[in-house]
Amino acid sequence: MKGSGLRKARAEAPSNIAIVKYWGKRNKELNLPLNSSFSISLEALRVDTEVSVEDGPGTSRLFIDGEEVTGEEFEEYAGRVLEAFRRLYGDFHAVIRSKTNFPKSAGLASSAAGIAALVVALNEALGLSLSQIELSKIARLGSGSACRSTTGGFVLWEKGTRDDGEDSFCYQVFPETHWPELVDVIGIVGRQKKKVSSRKGMLRVSSSPLMECRLKFVEETLPKVIDAVRRKDEGEFYYWTMRHSNSMHAVILDSWPSTFYLNDISFALIERIQESGIAGYTFDAGPNPHVFTTEDEAEEVVRIMREVGITEIVISRVGPGPKVLDSNR
Ligand code: ADP
Ligand code: DP6
């Protein structure tokens, strides 16, 4: 299985937006979640990563859009992925060069796409031929939400119950072709780095008495969300999308110390989209809205966004999963 000399592989992977959110862990080393989550892989937000690997000890390095990531920022994300591959392959080191196809500073989560692209590229460069399910478990170690970026379309991350995380993985529920009219209108509201990362923020859920209620809500309604997508029921899908976003942000507000990720523009948009009846919003740990609607209503959603003061807008379709672009194996 081992190779000789320098081997290179390049892969690209989608970012994803959670409809049913992951917020809270039962194991923080293995990124095992308290609840299952459901997401959509995005066509317009992608990361392209090239890895050069060589057997044996050495320093691994990561460059994102030309800038090196070092220290804890490296060790706690990509470093965990490299460790997982070493357990399967043996010792190696890698130089990783990653490019985002969207402005990295725009506050659009890129780590999920970046970690997924890295996992797929390393699998190729090391010649391991791991399945998508196995790759999702490795991506999960790097960053929980990244496991959902190892496939395209509509994706379920099963929380699993085992302590070793072997049953906590992702798979595609519907392909990207399932609901071709559906689009995500993404508003770029805040460019600043969030004060409290998702990783740190979600550790605070243990202080929220609302969390127990949220876990029950997720358990009961996740099948309804999936069913709304199965039936391509716009109204139902928008409704559950908004309820799940609100549920996560309610727990975030209820946790102590409190974190606030939404701002005045986010709240103005929430009100307008609820009134509109033509779309459903969702927010991750930041102020940027993802508003789902159908192609024929996208222009109206863009108008609403402009009205509340959002000027930078990206429209994405549901996208395919990762792809190996190049390999010299
Ligand atoms: P998010 O995208 O979730 O908002 P950040 O952009 O702050 O989070 O990224 C968190 C960490 O994820 C970074 O410190 C880095 O270690 C890792 N990361 C981000 N982008 C990539 C990438 N393209 N390749 C590998 N790791 C990445
Ligand atoms: C709000 O996946 O960034 O985007 O597992 O600690 O790396 P770690 O957390 P991360 O959290 C994502 C939180 C979220 C919701 C979601 O994507 O489900």
Side-chain angles (χ1 to χ4, degrees):
M1 193 190 288
K2 297 254 178 191
S4 61
L6 190 70
R7 277 147 298 141
K8 282 191 185 193
R10 211 180 117 215
E12 59 108 29
S15 186
N16 74 78
I17 176 72
I19 304 300
V20 176
K21 310 285 185 184
Y22 150 54
W23 194 258
K25 304 184 192 200
R26 62 186 170 88
N27 178 320
K28 61 179 182 160
E29 278 71 42
L30 300 176
N31 289 334
L32 298 178
L34 286 170
N35 62 270
S36 297
S37 55
F38 182 66
S39 65
I40 294 181
S41 294
L42 298 172
E43 185 182 49
L45 306 184
R46 308 189 76 90
V47 166
D48 180 327
T49 293
E50 185 186 70
V51 296
S52 309
V53 300
E54 223 170 348
D55 287 355
T59 309
S60 292
R61 302 179 74 182
L62 164 66
F63 299 87
I64 303 177
D65 293 328
E67 247 177 76
E68 184 157 18
V69 178
T70 56
E72 215 174 285
E73 286 285 286
F74 173 73
E75 293 304 333
E76 297 298 316
Y77 293 83
R80 290 186 183 187
V81 166
L82 292 170
E83 268 313 306
F85 275 105
R86 282 191 196 103
R87 286 194 290 275
L88 293 168
Y89 177 87
D91 206 7
F92 72 92
H93 55 283
V95 176
I96 307 154
R97 289 180 201 281
S98 190
K99 281 189 308 226
T100 47
N101 76 343
F102 52 97
K104 199 187 166 280
S105 58
L108 300 170
S110 56
S111 63
I115 295 291
L118 171 63
V119 166
V120 172
L122 282 174
N123 182 48
E124 177 66 24
L126 298 171
L128 287 170
S129 307
L130 298 174
S131 67
Q132 176 269 321
I133 298 262
E134 291 306 315
L135 295 180
S136 82
K137 290 186 222 167
I138 299 178
R140 190 199 75 227
L141 299 172
S143 179
S145 55
C147 70
R148 298 186 310 240
S149 282
T150 58
T151 186
F154 300 80
V155 181
L156 183 66
W157 174 10
E158 293 272 15
K159 69 179 161 93
T161 54
R162 288 174 57 147
D163 287 343
D164 63 3
E166 281 304 303
D167 58 354
S168 185
F169 53 74
C170 304
Y171 56 89
Q172 183 179 81
V173 182
F174 308 107
E176 63 276 15
T177 48
H178 171 68
W179 196 349
E181 303 80 24
L182 191 70
V183 292
D184 178 9
V185 184
I186 307 161
I188 300 169
V189 171
R191 285 178 168 275
Q192 64 276 49
K193 206 172 155 53
K194 43 194 173 236
K195 278 189 237 130
V196 182
S197 67
S198 304
R199 182 157 294 183
K200 292 215 170 82
M202 73 168 83
L203 295 181
R204 299 179 185 175
V205 295
S206 56
S207 66
S208 165
L210 284 189
M211 189 59 184
E212 198 185 320
C213 186
R214 169 169 159 73
L215 291 175
K216 206 162 144 255
F217 170 75
V218 171
E219 183 101 343
E220 284 169 7
T221 61
L222 176 59
K224 297 185 191 200
V225 179
I226 294 178
D227 195 53
V229 174
R230 186 190 320 279
R231 292 183 289 106
K232 297 189 250 179
D233 183 330
E234 293 159 28
E236 279 275 307
F237 175 67
Y238 302 154
Y239 171 76
W240 287 119
T241 298
M242 295 186 278
R243 293 301 302 266
H244 275 274
S245 176
N246 289 358
S247 163
M248 181 186 79
H249 286 278
V251 163
I252 287 171
L253 180 61
D254 188 47
S255 299
W256 197 263
S258 303
T259 326
F260 309 97
Y261 292 113
L262 305 177
N263 65 19
D264 288 351
I265 293 180
S266 320
F267 282 113
L269 188 81
I270 285 175
E271 208 172 349
R272 293 297 312 276
I273 295 296
Q274 282 195 21
E275 283 163 8
S276 79
I278 58 161
Y281 58 78
T282 187
F283 296 81
D284 274 347
N288 297 327
H290 287 249
V291 180
F292 282 93
T293 190
T294 49
E295 225 167 20
D296 53 335
E297 303 281 16
E299 210 176 303
E300 177 60 11
V301 169
V302 167
R303 196 186 62 74
I304 295 172
M305 279 196 179
R306 293 226 163 93
E307 258 180 34
V308 301
I310 301 171
T311 52
E312 269 184 87
I313 295 165
V314 177
I315 301 184
S316 180
R317 288 177 190 279
V318 182
K323 216 171 51 205
V324 174
L325 299 172
D326 236 330
S327 168
N328 77 345
R329 276 195 67 81

